[in-house]
Amino acid sequence: MSEGIYKDVLMDHYRNPRNRGELDDADVVCRGSNPRCGDDIEVGVRFDGDCLAKVGFRGRGCAICLASASMMTEAVTGTDRERAQEMCDDLRHWMASADDAWGRLPDTLRALASARSHPARRRCVLLAWEALEDALQ
Ligand code: ZN
């Protein structure tokens, strides 16, 4: 995929966020904020045993933060704790590394690549994932 398509995917998630809204039926809600950018979101998870039956988010943030949160909810819904944690670990590693250490991440997340080259935006990308990680604890 080209950089242009990645940007289109990001903007689509920003304009039409998936799983954004009330978190009333969540078992756990965790918050993450990034004052430097003004990002402030909450991630809620409803568990069914070990499975992440429903994952949603709410709050405000920049386009990259909200697009990443939207993509995160799609990527981890229906997986189990272990797989969700693995995605958090792999994404953090990929964002921090210069090489293309993709690990076992789903290809849908590749659109986040456009934010990877800007160190100041890394925190925006990772915010929702860190809140998810807190919810998994
Ligand atoms: Zn941001």
Side-chain angles (χ1 to χ4, degrees):
M1 275 202 282
S2 72
E3 187 89 344
I5 292 172
Y6 285 153
K7 280 214 176 87
D8 289 348
V9 172
L10 273 185
M11 287 315 288
D12 179 55
H13 274 273
Y14 171 58
R15 293 198 182 105
N16 310 293
R18 324 303 197 254
N19 306 303
R20 185 178 190 180
E22 288 310 309
L23 306 174
D24 292 342
D25 59 348
D27 296 315
V28 192
V29 176
C30 288
R31 188 173 174 188
S33 68
N34 176 19
R36 260 178 75 187
C37 185
D39 304 324
D40 189 354
I41 60 167
E42 286 179 308
V43 171
V45 182
R46 185 160 60 77
F47 290 100
D48 181 4
D50 206 36
C51 175
L52 283 69
K54 197 174 165 195
V55 184
F57 76 101
R58 70 180 167 204
R60 61 194 160 79
C62 66
I64 289 173
C65 170
L66 296 179
S68 180
S70 171
M71 293 169 86
M72 179 278 287
T73 64
E74 275 200 329
V76 302
T77 298
T79 66
D80 61 18
R81 285 175 194 264
E82 193 185 347
R83 175 69 180 128
Q85 182 62 55
E86 186 178 272
M87 279 194 245
C88 292
D89 293 342
D90 282 357
L91 186 70
R92 185 182 298 109
H93 179 68
W94 177 66
M95 290 294 293
S97 67
D99 59 344
D100 196 18
W102 187 242
R104 291 144 295 183
L105 290 165
D107 279 339
T108 50
L109 298 177
R110 286 224 179 243
L112 294 169
S114 59
R116 188 166 161 250
S117 47
H118 307 287
R121 308 324 298 266
R122 284 184 192 153
R123 182 101 190 91
C124 302
V125 169
L126 292 175
L127 195 62
W129 296 83
E130 288 170 0
L132 171 71
E133 223 173 359
D134 288 344
L136 294 174
Q137 301 308 311

